Amino acid sequence: MATMAAMPTSETSLGSILDQVAKEKGIDKKILVETIEAAILKAAQSVFGPTRELEARFNEDTGQIDLFQYMTVVEAVTEPEREISITDVDKLKLDATLGEELGFQVFWRPEDAEKARDQDKEYGDILKLKHGRTTFGRIAAQTAKQVLLQRVRDAERDLIFNEYKDRKGELIRGIVRRFEKGNNIIVDIGRTEGVLTFREQTPRETYRPGDRIVAYVKDIDREARGPQVILSRSDPRLVEKLFEAEVPEIYEGIVRIVSVAREPGARSKIAVTSRDADVDPVGACVGMKGSRVQAVVQELRGEKIDIVPFDRDPARYVIAAIQPAEVHKVIVDEADGRMELVVPDEKLSLAIGRKGQNVRLAAQLTNWKLDIISETKFKQMEEEAISALQQMDVVTEQIAKSMYRLGFRALEEVSEASVEELAAIPGLGGVEAADRIKSQADTTMERLRQERIRSASSRTEPLTDRERLMFIRGVGDRTVVLLEEAGYRSVEDVLREDEDRLAIRTGLGIKKARAIKQGARDFVESEQKVLDAARADVRRAAEARHA
């Protein structure tokens, strides 16, 4: 970057420096000239006074900035710094008439010292510039230097931004140069430097100055203090771009990456599809003897990669995503965007993965909420659900099994179902029976709720937030799960929330949300007080026995 220790002399004129900077940095000289003129003018106004009419003008012949002061010829002076009387004009033998403007060059550079003395001697009483000349010379030199440096920096940043803005979302190769505070890595990427912040680095990857690195261009920050190019090694799109670079079919658009899920440094899953029936998308990504996928794995320093065939059937897609575990049964809850995957007992840990990694990545990849259940646990849940449905007097074991197969797992699901949905259950007995069973589901749920409250009133240990949620009328296990997943972990959370937001965030619908909100209000206003009083009596009795 061009620098100026002081305002240049005629031997090293400002013009030559501007020519040099413009050539080296690719900046239009006219822009530099206008910037310097504006800075010198501002400095002059601060030294000589803001009321003077001043002009800073670049002199192409001398390569310097000339400064001028203009004064209007008037009959009687009211603004001494901007006006000159016609009497003084005649006295000084100046060629001007009333209303005209006279221009005086302000000599401020050291080499113009003699001209400045002559000017002060002849026009000093009118211009009154002598006091500020010396000060202005020093300030002007420093200002010109600072403004030129800043303008060059700004221009360089603009050039870098314009050069790299179209590379956002691409791979870029560079060389590690140094480490900064906060463990940020500064990478030389050619015309400029990029920054790989600590949060964008991959765990367990280490670098040394001089190491070559491939990164994803995550953003170009025009306002950043340091490097403008923000790099990433942890972004899932890095995996996508690496495959695009290795697999010609992806680059050509024959094979498409539908989704990527990643835990940087550990494992990634990608879902791929092909628009050509003759091209196997998974095989194209794997390559001959695994050459393509291994090239990506090597670039990611050993990160495991699962390549999954995308399927329009959500169940098939999820089964492929959960590999290498095998799935025996899938239960789909489209309304809640959830699937239950039943796997053999011995494959449960494989399906879940280390610290839940496999199921977590599969859920991210497919955008479905996934629950992994062993066959033994599934059978137990099935028996419990059928038993719960049989608590309604009109439901036999055979009807309960039919209801379970049709997706009715709990009393609250029966309560919320339409009469038409229930009437379709084989062996139930039509619309009238469906209406009765729906009513009985409500009655049974309320009976079980009252039993829970009575049981809680005889205990001395504190109640959990989940237990108190279960005391709300119409709330069962399924609703509690939906409430907790949406962030409503207590009765108070429900009471504080707006009904519309409660319906949207839980997916329960406005009718159910209103019923839950009213049930929570009723519980707190009446039943909570009775429950607290009963529990207080139990505690006092227990304390009396131990006294």
Side-chain angles (χ1 to χ4, degrees):
M1 181 180 290
T3 60
M4 301 192 313
M7 200 64 183
T9 65
S10 56
E11 293 179 0
T12 56
S13 70
L14 176 62
S16 62
I17 290 179
L18 294 179
D19 287 334
Q20 181 184 350
V21 172
K23 184 178 179 181
E24 289 181 358
K25 305 300 182 182
I27 307 168
D28 188 347
K29 181 182 175 182
K30 184 179 178 182
I31 295 174
L32 297 176
V33 167
E34 289 173 353
T35 304
I36 294 289
E37 287 177 345
I40 295 295
L41 177 59
K42 186 176 180 180
Q45 287 173 333
S46 68
V47 172
F48 297 117
T51 59
R52 294 179 188 267
E53 189 173 342
L54 301 168
E55 180 188 13
R57 189 190 310 157
F58 179 69
N59 188 325
E60 289 285 354
D61 295 330
T62 64
Q64 303 291 3
I65 297 289
D66 292 335
L67 183 66
F68 297 90
Q69 176 175 338
Y70 294 93
M71 304 183 80
T72 304
V73 180
V74 296
E75 190 74 47
V77 175
T78 57
E79 297 180 78
E81 292 184 338
R82 298 173 67 90
E83 297 172 343
I84 181 171
S85 71
I86 188 67
T87 305
D88 287 336
V89 168
D90 293 339
K91 187 189 300 183
L92 296 169
K93 298 179 181 179
L94 297 171
D95 185 16
T97 58
L98 277 173
E100 286 189 342
E101 204 170 50
L102 281 171
F104 298 89
Q105 183 171 354
V106 180
F107 298 105
W108 57 275
R109 290 188 294 273
E111 59 266 30
D112 293 330
E114 188 174 341
K115 292 179 181 179
R117 283 193 296 270
D118 291 342
Q119 188 180 61
D120 287 337
K121 186 176 180 180
E122 192 169 358
Y123 306 115
D125 293 339
I126 293 172
L127 298 178
K128 297 181 175 62
L129 295 170
K130 184 176 181 180
H131 180 70
R133 288 184 197 274
T134 306
T135 304
F136 176 66
R138 186 177 65 255
I139 292 175
Q142 189 64 26
T143 300
K145 174 185 174 183
Q146 291 175 349
V147 167
L148 184 57
L149 291 176
Q150 185 59 49
R151 190 66 189 87
V152 168
R153 280 195 290 265
D154 291 344
E156 283 183 322
R157 293 180 71 79
D158 288 341
L159 288 171
I160 290 167
F161 179 80
N162 291 329
E163 180 176 340
Y164 286 91
K165 66 181 180 181
D166 294 330
R167 299 195 65 181
K168 182 178 177 179
E170 296 182 1
L171 290 184
I172 201 163
R173 298 178 185 276
I175 299 173
V176 175
R177 285 301 179 213
R178 63 186 185 278
F179 297 86
E180 287 190 343
K181 186 178 179 181
N183 292 321
N184 293 344
I185 299 175
I186 304 302
V187 181
D188 182 349
I189 54 175
R191 285 275 314 258
T192 187
E193 292 179 330
V195 59
L196 184 65
T197 63
F198 181 72
R199 63 185 297 178
E200 295 296 337
Q201 296 171 29
T202 300
R204 295 184 291 277
E205 280 190 358
T206 57
Y207 296 94
R208 293 175 297 179
D211 285 352
R212 296 191 175 276
I213 188 171
V214 175
Y216 177 78
V217 181
K218 188 162 188 174
D219 198 9
I220 313 295
D221 187 357
R222 194 169 198 161
E223 306 303 322
R225 280 189 170 187
Q228 295 173 274
V229 184
I230 312 300
L231 306 176
S232 178
R233 285 280 296 176
S234 63
D235 196 292
R237 289 168 291 188
L238 172 65
V239 178
E240 186 175 338
K241 289 297 177 180
L242 287 171
F243 270 102
E244 185 179 302
E246 289 293 334
V247 182
E249 291 86 347
I250 295 177
Y251 182 78
E252 293 165 5
I254 299 170
V255 173
R256 180 170 66 92
I257 296 178
V258 179
S259 180
V260 179
R262 186 182 184 205
E263 292 197 356
R267 191 173 187 177
S268 290
K269 287 180 182 282
I270 69 168
V272 293
T273 187
S274 174
R275 69 177 187 181
D276 187 338
D278 294 330
V279 176
D280 173 19
V282 174
C285 293
V286 171
M288 187 72 69
K289 296 182 180 180
S291 58
R292 292 174 176 176
V293 70
Q294 283 306 314
V296 176
V297 169
Q298 185 176 357
E299 181 54 53
L300 295 175
R301 301 196 174 190
E303 185 173 309
K304 295 178 181 177
I305 298 176
D306 297 334
I307 304 172
V308 175
F310 172 76
D311 198 303
R312 293 187 180 276
D313 181 341
R316 292 180 183 275
Y317 183 27
V318 168
I319 289 172
I322 205 69
Q323 290 178 356
E326 58 183 277
V327 179
H328 282 187
K329 188 178 292 185
V330 180
I331 297 95
V332 182
D333 181 358
E334 290 189 5
D336 191 29
R338 184 184 297 274
M339 287 193 197
E340 290 181 2
L341 307 180
V342 182
V343 301
D345 289 21
E346 65 276 11
K347 301 289 184 181
L348 181 63
S349 59
L350 183 63
I352 294 172
R354 186 179 181 184
K355 297 181 180 179
Q357 184 187 78
N358 192 52
V359 67
R360 191 163 55 247
L361 286 173
Q364 290 175 21
L365 189 74
T366 60
N367 205 27
W368 280 81
K369 301 171 189 172
L370 303 180
D371 296 323
I372 308 294
I373 306 169
S374 68
E375 284 189 316
T376 301
K377 177 67 174 176
F378 179 73
K379 287 177 183 177
Q380 180 186 341
M381 290 171 61
E382 183 179 19
E383 290 169 1
E384 290 174 353
I386 291 171
S387 177
L389 292 170
Q390 283 184 269
Q391 292 188 60
M392 295 181 286
D393 297 337
V394 296
V395 176
T396 63
E397 182 180 358
Q398 192 62 39
I399 293 175
K401 287 181 178 179
S402 296
M403 292 174 73
Y404 184 85
R405 282 194 294 271
L406 291 172
F408 295 100
R409 305 295 172 82
L411 289 170
E412 58 185 316
E413 293 178 354
V414 178
S415 174
E416 293 168 15
S418 66
V419 173
E420 290 73 16
E421 287 177 307
L422 294 171
I425 298 172
L428 190 63
V431 174
E432 289 185 7
D435 196 43
R436 285 198 306 274
I437 200 172
K438 183 174 171 64
S439 175
Q440 196 168 60
D442 293 334
T443 304
T444 305
M445 282 183 67
E446 179 59 19
R447 173 174 59 80
L448 294 173
R449 186 180 77 89
Q450 292 295 338
E451 287 177 3
R452 287 195 294 270
I453 293 176
R454 284 195 296 273
S455 174
S457 66
S458 63
R459 290 162 35 202
T460 57
E461 63 270 19
L463 297 174
T464 65
D465 286 337
R466 175 178 267 251
E467 284 178 318
R468 293 180 70 244
L469 282 173
M470 292 288 287
F471 293 153
I472 298 174
R473 187 181 296 108
V475 171
D477 291 325
R478 171 179 166 272
T479 304
V480 165
V481 170
L482 293 175
L483 286 169
E484 289 177 337
E485 287 181 349
Y488 307 106
R489 301 189 175 277
S490 69
V491 175
E492 288 70 28
D493 289 342
V494 173
L495 287 172
R496 281 192 293 267
E497 186 58 282
D498 174 76
E499 289 174 358
D500 290 331
R501 279 178 55 82
L502 184 65
I504 293 169
R505 292 182 63 178
T506 58
L508 289 168
I510 188 63
K511 185 178 178 181
K512 178 73 172 178
R514 285 173 181 164
I516 290 173
K517 187 84 181 282
Q518 185 59 49
R521 195 177 294 116
D522 293 341
F523 170 70
V524 170
E525 290 176 356
S526 58
E527 293 171 323
Q528 176 75 59
K529 296 174 183 177
V530 176
L531 177 60
D532 289 344
R535 287 169 56 78
D537 289 341
V538 171
R539 280 197 299 273
R540 281 193 291 271
E543 289 167 0
R545 285 195 300 272
H546 288 92

